[in-house]
Amino acid sequence: MKNIQDSITSAKEALPDITPTPPGMKAQSSVHDLKARLEWGEPGLTIIDVRDRSVYNQGHIMGAMPMPVDELVDRVKSALPLTRDIYIYGEADEETAEAAQKLRKAGFQSVAELRGGLPAWKAIAGPTEGSVEAVTPPGPEGYNLVSQVSHHADTQQSNP
């Protein structure tokens, strides 16, 4: 009996650990990284949009908070702990990098630059909201969950 238990224990130890874990933070993250974390159901993150407020109002990543670059550090410091996971995006990757750098210099430890911003997010059918987004219905595939998951898997494989 002991030999069987030893064999089972040895077999279990030889197997790879397949416990699923959410994706971690990276200094430069793809929209796939963010979408995977959101699909994982991990609420411990904040998405910040540093674009002009009128542009933000037209359309933004669902749940993103608007914060202009010139007020960014003060507003984030008053609202979030320094250890909070933050995904940030702007009009262009350069603006995103500048905003992320300001937060890092202010002591924020987990800031991810969301490469490609809103256009990249929309390209993988990420959820959006805003005045223009509300009147622009998705294509037929937008209402089909199987199509959405398949599209996400396809784009994630082609754009790591």
Side-chain angles (χ1 to χ4, degrees):
M1 182 74 143
K2 184 159 175 49
N3 287 340
I4 293 174
Q5 286 181 339
D6 289 342
S7 296
I8 292 172
T9 301
S10 294
K12 284 182 181 179
E13 289 172 358
L15 292 173
D17 182 12
I18 57 172
T19 305
T21 57
M25 287 289 291
K26 296 185 241 178
Q28 282 90 28
S29 292
S30 73
V31 290
H32 296 289
D33 297 330
L34 175 57
K35 193 169 186 186
R37 280 195 69 183
L38 292 171
E39 288 172 347
W40 182 262
E42 191 174 336
L45 61 90
T46 299
I47 305 167
I48 297 176
D49 184 326
V50 296
R51 299 175 305 148
D52 181 72
R53 183 61 184 244
S54 63
V55 176
Y56 168 88
N57 288 341
Q58 291 175 10
H60 54 272
I61 294 173
M62 187 174 284
M65 297 170 46
M67 293 199 188
V69 176
D70 57 338
E71 301 172 17
L72 179 64
V73 173
D74 292 335
R75 289 185 60 193
V76 174
K77 272 188 146 181
S78 68
L80 300 173
L82 295 175
T83 56
R84 179 73 170 192
D85 287 356
I86 299 171
Y87 287 83
I88 193 163
Y89 70 98
E91 194 66 42
D93 286 344
E94 295 79 20
E95 182 183 35
T96 300
E98 176 189 335
Q101 190 60 26
K102 285 183 176 191
L103 290 180
R104 291 180 187 123
K105 282 184 179 177
F108 286 90
Q109 301 162 13
S110 297
V111 180
E113 301 165 27
L114 194 59
R115 293 182 309 216
L118 184 61
W121 183 253
K122 290 169 72 170
I124 64 163
T128 59
E129 55 191 355
S131 61
V132 173
E133 296 298 317
V135 296
T136 309
E141 71 283 347
Y143 296 101
N144 182 326
L145 181 59
V146 173
S147 174
Q148 291 278 348
V149 171
S150 176
H151 180 263
H152 178 64
D154 291 345
T155 57
Q156 193 166 17
Q157 288 176 354
S158 63
N159 298 314

